[in-house]
Amino acid sequence: MAGQMFTVRDVLYMYSDARTAYDRFVGIGSNPEQARNAVALLVWLDQCNVRAIQHLPGLSPTAVSLVAAEANSVLDCLRGPEPVVPAIPLISALCKDADVDPRFFTFHQDLVVRGVADILDGVGSLIFNNHLNKMLRRYQTGLVGNPPELMAAYSCLSVAVPEDCRSMFITFSRGAPIDREEIFDYFKQKWGDCVVRVLMEKTAGGSQPMYGRIIFRSEAFVQLVLNGERLVKISIRHRQIWLRKYVPRPAATQNQN
């Protein structure tokens, strides 16, 4: 969409299939965050000429559930410590004109994650905005004229997000120390340049830090790590760490460096 001027309404129209897919995923009971991530993945695939998302409106609830499960299997493999090839038979079948090799998601995790994160941070702010989509429906049925919010020019620039909103709180197992560099390198090797810095608990006398904080470059990375879960566990060189959404606490902030 570079070089052209579009309104918010134009963009909502362009991504109407994506919004329909999101509504269908939520309608079958999907966690909203998982549904957003799954739709963002399908939108990114669509931009790569893997056009599965356009078939969602005509699928049965059972088939929609299977597509959601397959998309989430891809998202799960993106955050796993070991390379796993996701099973996506239905998504592959829907893309008759495209060659979908599931191994691509395994061996190009950084490319896939950055693409999905760009969708979440960009057009996702419109696709998943319930207020704007409700207003669009009212506009389409003639209940409202030309709402300024829909007629506003769309900007593809991501809005700056405070560090607290793109941070994760991490805890470690006692007796299994891990360095901040190992955490930083883990995500860099998997997802590329996605971490700003890693903070660790300040300790005295050589004691092992028991908690820390990861600050990502984008809130989307936090969403992709959690994928709808409150708490997730990952393994770095056979040592487990637990991650959850960061909630600012002055005391904790003061004890990290």
Side-chain angles (χ1 to χ4, degrees), residues 24 52 55-64 67 90 94:
R24 295 214 66 188
H55 299 286
L56 263 292
L59 295 181
S60 69
T62 300
V64 170
V67 171
L90 183 52
L94 293 174

Side-chain angles (χ1 to χ4, degrees), residues 63-119:
V64 170
S65 181
L66 289 173
V67 171
E70 290 183 9
N72 276 294
S73 75
V74 172
L75 295 167
D76 285 339
C77 94
L78 294 176
R79 65 183 182 181
E82 301 297 332
V84 176
V85 179
I88 52 171
L90 183 52
I91 291 178
S92 298
L94 293 174
C95 306
K96 297 178 181 178
D97 299 327
D99 182 18
V100 185
D101 187 343
R103 292 174 297 180
F104 176 84
F105 301 107
T106 302
F107 299 109
H108 298 281
Q109 292 186 359
D110 57 338
L111 179 64
V112 178
V113 167
R114 287 200 303 271
V116 174
D118 284 346
I119 297 298

Side-chain angles (χ1 to χ4, degrees), residues 100 117 138 160 182 193 196 225:
V100 185
R138 290 169 59 83
E182 292 178 288
D193 186 21
V196 177
V225 170

Side-chain angles (χ1 to χ4, degrees), residues 78-249:
L78 294 176
R79 65 183 182 181
E82 301 297 332
V84 176
V85 179
I88 52 171
L90 183 52
I91 291 178
S92 298
L94 293 174
C95 306
K96 297 178 181 178
D97 299 327
D99 182 18
V100 185
D101 187 343
R103 292 174 297 180
F104 176 84
F105 301 107
T106 302
F107 299 109
H108 298 281
Q109 292 186 359
D110 57 338
L111 179 64
V112 178
V113 167
R114 287 200 303 271
V116 174
D118 284 346
I119 297 298
L120 290 170
D121 287 331
V123 294
S125 63
L126 302 188
I127 295 170
F128 308 122
N129 187 307
N130 293 331
H131 170 69
L132 289 177
N133 281 277
K134 182 178 180 180
M135 187 178 297
L136 180 65
R137 288 192 294 271
R138 290 169 59 83
Y139 167 80
Q140 290 172 320
T141 55
L143 293 176
V144 295
N146 293 317
E149 289 176 273
L150 295 182
M151 300 304 130
Y154 169 70
S155 172
C156 60
L157 299 177
S158 298
V159 177
V161 176
E163 284 190 351
D164 286 352
C165 297
R166 45 189 169 91
S167 295
M168 301 197 75
F169 185 76
I170 49 178
T171 54
F172 316 111
S173 297
R174 189 174 298 278
I178 187 167
D179 297 330
R180 74 175 76 204
E181 290 80 10
E182 292 178 288
I183 299 171
F184 188 94
D185 290 343
Y186 173 85
F187 283 101
K188 184 175 182 178
Q189 290 170 10
K190 287 178 65 64
W191 290 3
D193 186 21
C194 65
V195 174
V196 177
R197 62 184 179 276
V198 178
L199 306 175
M200 304 289 272
E201 176 193 14
K202 292 180 180 179
T203 59
S207 299
Q208 174 196 338
M210 296 305 299
Y211 63 83
R213 175 183 173 191
I214 305 176
I215 303 170
F216 288 93
R217 296 197 177 279
S218 160
E219 187 177 9
F221 292 117
V222 176
Q223 298 169 17
L224 291 170
V225 170
L226 291 173
N227 196 32
E229 303 290 338
R230 189 189 70 84
L231 181 72
V232 298
K233 177 179 68 176
I234 63 174
S235 178
I236 300 177
R237 296 183 181 179
H238 307 292
R239 288 162 297 173
Q240 296 175 339
I241 69 172
W242 284 261
L243 305 94
R244 60 177 171 82
K245 180 73 174 175
Y246 176 73
V247 178
R249 289 185 176 90

